[in-house]
Amino acid sequence: MTTGGMPSGSQGCLVGFSKPTVFTGASAMFLLVYLALWKYHDSTNPLLASASSLPGDESRPLPGAHSPRDFLEQIMSCDLDEPKKKNVFLEKNKSMPMIYFVTPTYARSVQMAELTRLGQTLSSVQALHWILVEDSTKCNPVVGQLLRRLGIPFTHLASEMPAAYKKLKIPPRGVSNRRAALKWIRRNVKQGVLYFGDDDNTYDVRLFDEIRDTRNISMFPVGLIGDYAVSAPVVHDGKVVGFYDSWPAGRRFAVDMAGFAVNIKLLHQFPNATFIYEAGFEEDSFLQEIVTDADFIEAKAANCTEILVWHTRTVQVPAAILQPPTQTLTETSISGLLRRLNDLQLATISSKGKPSSVHYLTNV
Ligand code: UGA
Ligand code: MN
């Protein structure tokens, strides 16, 4: 048994097609059937069907070479049909600044566990809009279902890491996604506070009270970073005068992505500020563009002595490849369970996979 895979899973089918000599009648038949199924899949999935380029988005990958700064990502917007929940809260609570929480995410076996945990943390925060950006050409419907279940205001986008960077030994993770979110915010949001929260970190809900009144840029410690177990601004007389971080690496602002928040007015004041595609230097590149005066930095979390965010990392578990049990499957939950494992990226089901079996309690 094979269950229907993720939408992008079977695109490789078109690859061997460049050799006309092997293009037989049988393969033409196969191609036609494949194309028909592909079209059917897309048009029946409401999320994929509603996906389109951002309104007014002219972004396309530039042909040929580009600098790590000037690449133009393609962005998919996957929630255009969503009812506009996002302004309900604002209308009721005009005085409370909205927090725009930007999360880059990518497909892997632990993804749905990470997003479930993070989403449930965010559900308990008032006036928060979650911008979730998948590192992909299209949005995963299972991720979209989670977002809708949570019931919080959200924006669901997709923007894939450019192919050239995927090949690097240390690729710049989450950059195209965060750049896409910056574009979306600049187009759609005038005021509020921006925070970059990766999907695997741990957030103390007190963090949101701290960053909500960010006037320009606020900074605070992040636990579990590098050899010092922390990356933290150093405060003297209420001002940030340096950084306690075991990897200075020539950076002016030696901070982690989770260690700062920005007032959205700065994004409009500096319309070109963005992240560069260079692992380890993303934060510094962005901050150097928007922090013109170090005196503007607001120290949070008890003058940068408290830890309200942790750079936790989840062990990566490869997805299992499973053969369905050979025992009678009809009328048991097994086929439904295996389909769900496939949807959640926990396992792929294949006749070539690892044999599996059920230990029955009773005869069925
Ligand atoms: C650290 C920082 O905390 C990141 O903010 C920074 O982007 C990264 O280093 C870097 O400099 O490359 P780290 O924990 O090492 O992050 O990296 P991950 O947690 O694996 O990735 C950061 C974020 O990007 C996550 O939210 C992850 O889901 C996302 N990501 C990762 C992608 O969107 N695509 C990928 O291929 C990998
Ligand atoms: Mn991480």
Side-chain angles (χ1 to χ4, degrees):
M1 179 185 76
T2 45
T3 54
M6 297 253 303
S8 54
S10 48
Q11 273 169 314
C13 291
L14 290 177
V15 170
F17 185 46
S18 55
K19 272 192 181 171
T21 45
V22 296
F23 189 61
T24 60
S27 51
M29 240 353 238
F30 172 76
L31 184 66
L32 281 175
V33 171
Y34 170 78
L35 286 175
L37 286 174
W38 178 252
K39 189 165 187 294
Y40 175 76
H41 179 270
D42 266 8
S43 60
T44 50
N45 181 327
L47 264 176
L48 297 181
S50 70
S52 66
S53 291
L54 274 181
D57 187 11
E58 67 299 337
S59 313
R60 291 288 176 272
L62 285 177
H66 57 267
S67 83
R69 199 189 177 292
D70 297 330
F71 189 82
L72 285 179
E73 305 66 25
Q74 179 145 11
I75 305 172
M76 298 299 286
S77 184
C78 307
D79 51 27
L80 295 180
D81 294 343
E82 285 299 316
K84 295 282 170 263
K85 284 193 205 109
K86 35 196 157 210
N87 294 325
V88 176
F89 187 93
L90 277 185
E91 276 158 26
K92 285 197 199 145
N93 300 273
K94 286 200 170 105
S95 58
M96 187 179 257
M98 196 78 169
I99 293 173
Y100 290 85
F101 189 101
V102 170
T103 303
T105 188
Y106 70 111
R108 64 215 192 269
S109 67
V110 298
Q111 181 184 33
M112 290 313 296
E114 305 277 29
L115 294 179
T116 300
R117 183 171 46 199
L118 172 56
Q120 289 178 0
T121 296
L122 300 183
S123 302
S124 66
V125 182
Q126 281 195 315
L128 182 139
H129 183 122
W130 194 9
I131 305 179
L132 187 61
V133 196
E134 297 192 47
D135 181 347
S136 172
T137 51
K138 36 177 110 164
C139 297
N140 178 351
V142 179
V143 173
Q145 283 156 14
L146 168 72
L147 285 168
R148 285 194 298 277
R149 254 195 331 268
L150 289 168
I152 57 176
F154 70 87
T155 295
H156 189 188
L157 307 173
S159 182
E160 195 182 25
M161 184 188 298
Y165 297 117
K166 283 191 191 175
K167 291 184 207 138
L168 297 181
K169 208 167 155 200
I170 306 179
R173 285 154 291 179
V175 174
S176 65
N177 343 25
R178 293 190 196 100
R179 287 164 63 112
L182 285 176
K183 271 191 187 174
W184 186 90
I185 292 173
R186 284 188 169 109
R187 279 190 196 138
N188 295 285
V189 183
K190 288 202 178 71
Q191 53 193 36
V193 172
L194 164 64
Y195 179 73
F196 293 101
D198 290 351
D199 60 4
D200 55 344
N201 293 339
T202 304
Y203 306 91
D204 185 321
V205 287
R206 292 174 296 168
L207 175 71
F208 302 99
D209 299 331
E210 290 284 307
I211 62 176
R212 198 180 293 281
D213 67 358
T214 299
R215 289 185 306 277
N216 289 289
I217 175 129
S218 58
M219 291 191 182
F220 35 88
V222 182
L224 292 175
I225 298 255
D227 294 344
Y228 300 168
V230 75
S231 168
V234 175
V235 181
H236 176 72
D237 273 349
K239 283 188 179 169
V240 172
V241 294
F243 298 96
Y244 186 64
D245 183 302
S246 63
W247 192 67
R251 294 179 296 167
R252 178 164 157 78
F253 300 105
V255 296
D256 184 70
M257 197 64 78
F260 65 92
V262 178
N263 191 302
I264 285 171
K265 76 176 181 198
L266 289 188
L267 292 190
H268 296 295
Q269 222 168 302
F270 300 98
N272 297 321
T274 195
F275 294 99
I276 58 165
Y277 283 99
E278 199 175 343
F281 295 91
E282 298 95 334
E283 299 89 344
D284 193 40
S285 67
F286 179 67
L287 291 170
Q288 288 211 29
E289 294 194 63
I290 59 170
V291 185
T292 46
D293 184 345
D295 283 356
F296 285 168
I297 303 172
E298 301 142 53
K300 298 289 188 186
N303 255 341
C304 296
T305 60
E306 184 58 274
I307 308 292
L308 298 177
V309 52
W310 311 73
H311 187 251
T312 40
R313 281 179 288 182
T314 304
V315 173
Q316 301 297 319
V317 183
I321 305 172
L322 291 179
Q323 248 180 67
T326 47
Q327 299 114 310
T328 319
L329 285 182
T330 44
E331 291 168 24
T332 77
S333 55
I334 275 288
S335 46
L337 176 70
L338 295 184
R339 262 199 307 278
R340 194 64 189 142
L341 291 187
N342 182 81
D343 289 348
L344 294 171
Q345 309 164 74
L346 296 180
T348 50
I349 312 302
S350 155
S351 55
K352 296 196 183 105
K354 196 180 163 127
S356 70
S357 61
V358 177
H359 305 278
Y360 284 109
L361 281 174
T362 55
N363 287 335
V364 284

